[in-house]
């Protein structure tokens, strides 16, 4: 059985190939039972979450990810997500590979955002604003650069010191101009693409601050009590999701407006299945504000794990 470290997993999942792999599995589909979602009490800090995410292609590959999400790890200088992925042969049941789940999760999450942006962001989008300074930030930059010609990146985080440190590091990795966002509201009004990856329970992305044509990518807030967008954004935007089932029950950016009666399930224009199968054309106007909400799906992990396994096995 192959054992893929964090570095090996990263090298085996180049973003252009990973984005293509996600598009293909959303087109072809797979068996994806509802994931297990368990709160874990952690004394003295917010609850953690254990996720169990199985998926398989009959007669092909099968896999399951076990992920622990611990918001309190930000104060320990540790990643919020710790995970492993077990890939198997779906015909024989043979265990094939144990893949670093944290790196797999970060890269497939960013790739799903970029896949959505390929349908929803304006073709001339050049300025990316990233809200959040965690593990996903550099992955979101690299993934969006794979689908749009990003020339300027602005980073906003709650901690100025942490944000400045990240910006210095990112300047060594990317050719784009990368700056600290001193004022979030002002930065929202300048960006062509806004990508938020936080564990916030209070809205950060104000719809009134956005210019026409902005694409908003909401990656964090994966539980019903979490939220990154405000009501103005939800009311202004054309809404898209990674999967309807997941976002209608889990993501606070969709669940809370639904409960408040601001939107109905019919207001979701399309999910990634429909976009990738050309059942919906995606963005149709340069002036529209588009909003993509993702909570993650097991088929994304499976597609990434298969790609990593085959790239390493060669």
């Amino acid at each position: 059985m192959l054992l893929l470290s964090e570095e090996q997993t990263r090298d085996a999942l180049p973003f252009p190939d990973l984005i293509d792999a996600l598009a293909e599995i959303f087109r072809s589909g797979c068996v994806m039972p509802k994931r297990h979602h368990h709160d874990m009490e952690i004394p003295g800090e917010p609850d953690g979450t254990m996720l169990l995410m199985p998926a398989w292609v009959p007669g092909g590959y099968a896999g399951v990810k076990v992920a622990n999400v611990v918001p309190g790890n930000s104060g320990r200088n540790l990643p919020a997500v710790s995970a492993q992925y077990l890939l198997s042969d779906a015909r024989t049941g043979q265990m094939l590979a144990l893949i670093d789940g944290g790196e797999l999760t970060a890269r497939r999450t960013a790739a799903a955002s970029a896949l959505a942006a390929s349908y929803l962001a304006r073709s001339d989008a050049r300025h990316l604003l990233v809200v959040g300074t965690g593990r996903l930030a550099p992955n979101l930059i690299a993934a969006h650069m794979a689908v749009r010609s990003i020339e300027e990146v602005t980073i906003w985080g709650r901690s100025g010191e942490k944000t400045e440190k990240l910006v210095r590091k990112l300047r060594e990795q990317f050719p784009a101009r990368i700056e600290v966002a001193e004022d979030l509201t002002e930065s929202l009004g300048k960006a062509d693409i806004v990508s938020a990856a936080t564990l916030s329970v209070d809205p950060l992305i104000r719809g009134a601050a956005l210019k026409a044509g902005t694409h908003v990518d909401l990656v964090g807030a994966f539980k019903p009590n979490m939220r990154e967008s405000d009501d103005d954004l939800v009311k202004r935007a054309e809404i898209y999701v990674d999967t309807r089932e997941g976002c209608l029950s889990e993501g606070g950016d969709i669940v809370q407006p639904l409960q408040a009666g601001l939107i109905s399930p019919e207001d979701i224009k399309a999910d990634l299945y429909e976009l990738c199968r050309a059942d919906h054309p995606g963005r149709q106007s340069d002036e529209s504000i588009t909003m993509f909400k993702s909570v993650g799906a097991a088929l994304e992990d499976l597609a990434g794990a298969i790609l990593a396994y085959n790239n390493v096995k060669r």
Side-chain angles (χ1 to χ4, degrees):
M1 184 171 73
L2 290 177
L3 299 176
L4 274 64
S5 67
E6 178 180 323
E7 183 177 0
Q8 289 171 317
T9 301
R10 182 184 308 119
D11 292 344
L13 295 174
F15 277 115
D17 293 346
L18 181 54
I19 293 166
D20 288 344
L22 292 189
E24 178 55 35
I25 203 165
F26 273 106
R27 279 192 290 267
S28 61
C30 70
V31 181
M32 187 174 63
K34 187 175 181 178
R35 65 185 177 189
H36 295 252
H37 190 286
H38 304 284
D39 290 337
M40 297 191 301
E41 294 183 0
I42 302 176
E45 61 185 80
D47 288 350
T49 305
M50 178 184 288
L51 300 171
L52 307 176
M53 301 173 64
W56 61 89
V57 176
Y61 293 95
V64 61
K65 183 173 75 176
V66 179
N68 296 325
V69 184
V70 180
N73 276 352
S74 60
R76 303 182 184 94
N77 200 30
L78 291 173
V81 179
S82 299
Q84 292 291 338
Y85 195 92
L86 182 61
L87 182 69
S88 304
D89 186 314
R91 185 177 298 275
T92 67
Q94 180 185 6
M95 307 295 183
L96 300 175
L98 186 64
I99 300 166
D100 184 87
E103 189 65 20
L104 173 63
T105 300
R107 294 187 79 79
R108 67 81 159 151
T109 300
S113 290
L115 176 60
S118 71
Y119 293 99
L120 302 176
R122 286 175 50 138
S123 60
D124 61 353
R126 299 290 184 268
H127 183 180
L128 171 66
L129 168 63
V130 176
V131 180
T133 57
R135 183 176 192 168
L136 269 170
N139 286 286
L140 287 166
I141 296 170
H144 279 98
M145 283 184 170
V147 298
R148 289 294 182 268
S149 300
I150 302 298
E151 299 173 352
E152 183 176 0
V153 179
T154 312
I155 311 288
W156 183 89
R158 296 184 190 277
S159 166
E161 181 180 353
K162 188 174 182 180
T163 305
E164 289 178 3
K165 182 178 179 181
L166 175 62
V167 165
R168 288 195 296 270
K169 182 178 180 181
L170 293 176
R171 284 171 177 163
E172 299 174 358
Q173 300 177 22
F174 296 104
R177 176 187 175 192
I178 302 178
E179 302 291 343
V180 173
E182 302 292 349
D183 182 272
L184 179 56
T185 299
E186 181 180 342
S187 298
L188 287 170
K190 296 178 179 179
D192 301 316
I193 300 174
V194 178
S195 188
T198 74
L199 298 176
S200 180
V201 296
D202 298 311
L204 296 168
I205 312 303
R206 308 290 177 181
L210 300 171
K211 66 181 182 180
T214 303
H215 171 58
V216 179
D217 169 45
L218 303 174
V219 178
F222 67 95
K223 296 169 70 173
N225 68 318
M226 297 176 173
R227 194 167 178 187
E228 294 180 310
S229 61
D230 70 354
D231 289 347
D232 284 340
L233 173 55
V234 173
K235 289 186 287 188
R236 288 188 71 187
E238 294 181 356
I239 302 172
Y240 299 83
V241 297
D242 56 351
T243 66
R244 292 177 185 270
E245 181 181 13
C247 286
L248 286 171
S249 62
E250 297 183 24
D253 291 288
I254 301 296
V255 172
Q256 291 183 35
L258 279 172
Q259 292 174 340
L262 291 175
I263 60 171
S264 68
E266 290 71 31
D267 288 318
I268 296 175
K269 301 292 185 182
D271 60 15
L272 281 178
Y273 290 107
E274 294 162 305
L275 290 171
C276 292
R277 293 170 182 174
D279 294 332
H280 191 286
R283 173 179 287 273
Q284 299 173 70
S285 165
D286 283 347
E287 299 303 306
S288 298
I289 290 177
T290 53
M291 169 181 143
F292 174 70
K293 174 59 189 166
S294 65
V295 293
L299 84 167
E300 298 167 3
D301 295 305
L302 179 61
I306 294 170
L307 176 63
Y309 173 71
N310 285 327
N311 280 343
V312 171
K313 191 179 64 171
R314 288 173 186 166

